[in-house]
Amino acid sequence: QAASDNQSIALSLARLRAAQAAVASSRASQAPTLGTSASASRARSSSSQAPNGSASTRTSSSYSLGLNASWELDLWGRLAGTVDAAQATAQASADDLAAARLSVQASVAQTYFSLRAAEANAQILRETLQAYERSWELTRNRQQAGVASVADVAQAESQYKSTQVQLLEAETTRTQLENALAALLGQAPASFSLPATGTLPQPPVVPAQLPSQLLERRPDIAAAERRVAAANAQIGVAQAAFFPALTLSGTAGYRGSELSNLFNAPNLFWSLGPQLALSLFDGGARTAAVESARAANEQAAATYRQTVLTALQEVEDNLTAATALAQEQQLQTEALAAAQRALEVVSNQYRAGTVGYLNVITAQATVLSAQRSLIDVRSRRLAAVNTLLKNVAGRWEVEGG
């Protein structure tokens, strides 16, 4: 849905169409141009005065119909260079579209994972609230029996209310993420709804190493490389301005004073010949244009190199993060199991009257914190794998491998 309805992708698609139109426009300059013209005029003129003092007047008509053609010969490659630059720019725009699509897809996936993490947090908090409510009720009963203090009841109530606040925050976060997901899909939030599951998907197994040639598929790197090619072509265009432009032009048609006899042979006219034009002095404008084109090429090359270096860093960072978070998830799972065992022991001791309620609150808070930490680790692991997949253009299998 995002690939077809997201507005950022629609914007990149419109830019691609504009770049493709620029290619067609630059190619048109290599072809001859042919035009037609027609005119009609009527004029009145006065002659010098006659000997008798009167002036004579004369009214004349003129009609013409003709064809004109011109063609600039690309002797120095100026027009071809313009076409090459436009083609490279269009290819860069196509890569920009692919990069925008990949970015939107990664954002959709990440927003979805965050939404499911908020659901899982809310589900844990609801289950915890039920346990806290039972503890609160148990403490009230013990207080009525004279074996628990008023402070124990107040602590149980405070813990219950605080967890209610956390639940409201988790539910609000979930709603906001659902709205963000709707915007990514190009829909109004009111018209989009995602059924709650409360579960996080399992991430794919991340390879221990990734081949560097995967970066060749990245659209942002391809776009940067194409912009280098476009800037290099512009240098040739700027240098070609130092050479003369040769244009072949021709005109043919009919011109006469009477419309009825316009197409008679005596009214036929034509002209054909080359035209050579060269600017002899421009105050250094052409030299400045060449230097500007070279500087633009150096900028594009530096951007390309930096894009590659950034891509290498991103892959290394997220590959390390994905591996570390997989180990962290295992350790956090073990920590949660230990916290649950400790809570069970402390709860039994409290019922037996051997420990205070503060020990129970501490153990319950530790379990809740471990549960939420585990969800956070799983969510961050999904984010790292998702970003890593984005870094390698969507998949880490080598084509043909």
Side-chain angles (χ1 to χ4, degrees), residues 7-18:
Q7 296 308 301
S8 296
I9 295 178
L11 176 61
S12 296
L13 184 58
R15 288 172 176 166
L16 174 59
R17 289 200 299 268

Side-chain angles (χ1 to χ4, degrees), residues 145-235:
V147 294
S149 66
V150 176
D152 290 344
V153 176
Q155 288 175 336
E157 182 180 4
S158 175
Q159 186 181 44
Y160 180 81
K161 298 295 184 181
S162 298
T163 307
Q164 280 185 318
V165 172
Q166 296 178 44
L167 175 59
L168 289 174
E169 291 177 350
E171 291 174 343
T172 301
T173 299
R174 198 268 181 196
T175 301
Q176 292 173 340
L177 289 168
E178 187 177 53
N179 295 339
L181 193 57
L184 287 170
L185 300 181
Q187 300 183 26
S191 62
F192 177 78
S193 178
L194 190 67
T197 62
T199 58
L200 282 167
Q202 291 296 324
V205 178
V206 178
Q209 294 181 339
L210 293 174
S212 59
Q213 59 262 37
L214 290 175
L215 296 182
E216 297 175 0
R217 299 193 311 228
R218 281 185 54 144
D220 57 339
I221 293 179
E225 189 274 332
R226 287 290 83 202
R227 288 190 169 90
V228 173
N232 187 62
Q234 287 293 348
I235 295 177

Side-chain angles (χ1 to χ4, degrees), residues 1-10 100-115 176-189 191-192 194 386 390:
Q1 292 179 22
S4 61
D5 299 331
N6 182 270
Q7 296 308 301
S8 296
I9 295 178
R101 183 178 290 112
L102 181 63
S103 179
V104 167
Q105 290 170 341
S107 296
V108 168
Q110 182 54 50
T111 305
Y112 176 82
F113 297 150
S114 298
L115 182 146
Q176 292 173 340
L177 289 168
E178 187 177 53
N179 295 339
L181 193 57
L184 287 170
L185 300 181
Q187 300 183 26
S191 62
F192 177 78
L194 190 67
N386 179 58
K390 177 187 174 184

Side-chain angles (χ1 to χ4, degrees), residues 240-258:
F242 285 96
F243 301 97
L246 178 61
T247 303
L248 298 179
S249 59
T251 304
Y254 292 91
R255 183 185 299 118
S257 59
E258 296 181 3

